[in-house]
Amino acid sequence: QSVLTQPPSVSAAPGQKVTISCSGSSSNIGNNYVSWYQQLPGTAPKLLIYDNNKRPSGIPDRFSGSKSGTSATLGITGLQTGDEADYYCGTWDSSLSGVFGGGTKLTVL
Amino acid sequence: QVQLQESGPGLVKPSETLSLTCAVSGYSISSGYYWGWIRQPPGKGLEWIGSIYHSGSTYYNPSLKSRVTISVDTSKNQFSLKLSSVTAADTAVYYCARGYSSSRNDAFDIWGQGTMVTVSS
């Protein structure tokens, strides 16, 4: 059971937009920055978003992040088949540890 | 560019200690940043294990804290993970990673490729 809650799966057609939610509490998301990762099959996670809505160099602006209260959302526009992956949210917790969501599998139909 | 590479035994017996090392190239650990360990059981999600600052201060996942030790060896430019009293539940791909900012460890921007560790007799 992960500390942060994500939907197990989402799907959308190529070219469309999809959002992935991440729900936490005041002990984690409510008082800390949220990050998002993309994990393609058989590879290490890749940082997509940090500090709620900032993108590392090289990450296209099709990827966006937002946070409100104790929840965060990852948005992906202009979906491509190459976006099929598992997506994880992460943040810091009052237990002085990092925490992750359970992951969401994105299917591009 | 900065690269991380995990190494260690791929098979560990139950009740023994799992030991992994992460070699860092392209950057001197002693210059800064947090360095962390994350694991992923087969078919499951990511689990944050712990992190260490270049100065040696550490943070551990409370659920693993009694069994985990993370240390840094600046002379070899590497950091290590030890997990004691392992069981089959510790079978996972273990990743090492760098904190994305010189003073932050709540996100990781550079990851190793990961190494699979199986706990079995």
Side-chain angles (χ1 to χ4, degrees), chain A residues 33 37 39 50-51 88 97-98, chain B residues 40 48 95 100 104 107-108 112:
Chain A
Y33 290 110
Y37 301 85
Q39 186 176 34
Y50 67 95
D51 287 359
Y88 294 89
S97 170
Chain B
Q40 185 172 34
W48 200 92
Y95 295 100
Y100 81 95
R104 301 269 295 274
F108 298 102

Side-chain angles (χ1 to χ4, degrees), chain A residues 35-88:
Chain A
S35 56
W36 289 91
Y37 301 85
Q38 176 193 62
Q39 186 176 34
L40 297 170
T43 69
K46 176 182 181 181
L47 183 64
L48 286 179
I49 299 288
Y50 67 95
D51 287 359
N52 301 334
N53 55 19
K54 296 182 174 63
R55 285 176 284 107
S57 174
I59 301 300
D61 59 7
R62 298 189 299 109
F63 296 91
S64 64
S66 64
K67 175 186 137 177
S68 178
T70 59
S71 294
T73 301
L74 172 70
I76 310 173
T77 60
L79 275 174
Q80 303 173 0
T81 55
D83 295 332
E84 282 206 342
D86 293 324
Y87 292 84
Y88 294 89

Side-chain angles (χ1 to χ4, degrees), chain B residues 11-82:
Chain B
L11 181 64
V12 181
K13 290 182 169 56
S15 81
E16 295 190 344
T17 296
L18 178 160
S19 296
L20 296 175
T21 296
C22 182
V24 179
S25 59
Y27 185 83
S28 174
I29 283 184
S30 59
S31 296
Y33 284 93
Y34 277 97
W35 306 88
W37 288 96
I38 301 98
R39 70 181 182 179
Q40 185 172 34
K44 297 187 177 181
L46 303 173
E47 181 178 28
W48 200 92
I49 299 173
S51 66
I52 187 166
Y53 198 46
H54 68 99
S55 60
S57 60
T58 54
Y59 293 92
Y60 296 132
N61 184 326
S63 68
L64 299 170
K65 189 173 184 176
S66 64
R67 300 193 292 129
V68 172
T69 301
I70 297 176
S71 59
V72 63
D73 186 338
T74 54
S75 66
K76 295 183 178 179
N77 213 41
Q78 64 187 32
F79 60 105
S80 300
L81 168 70
K82 291 188 184 300

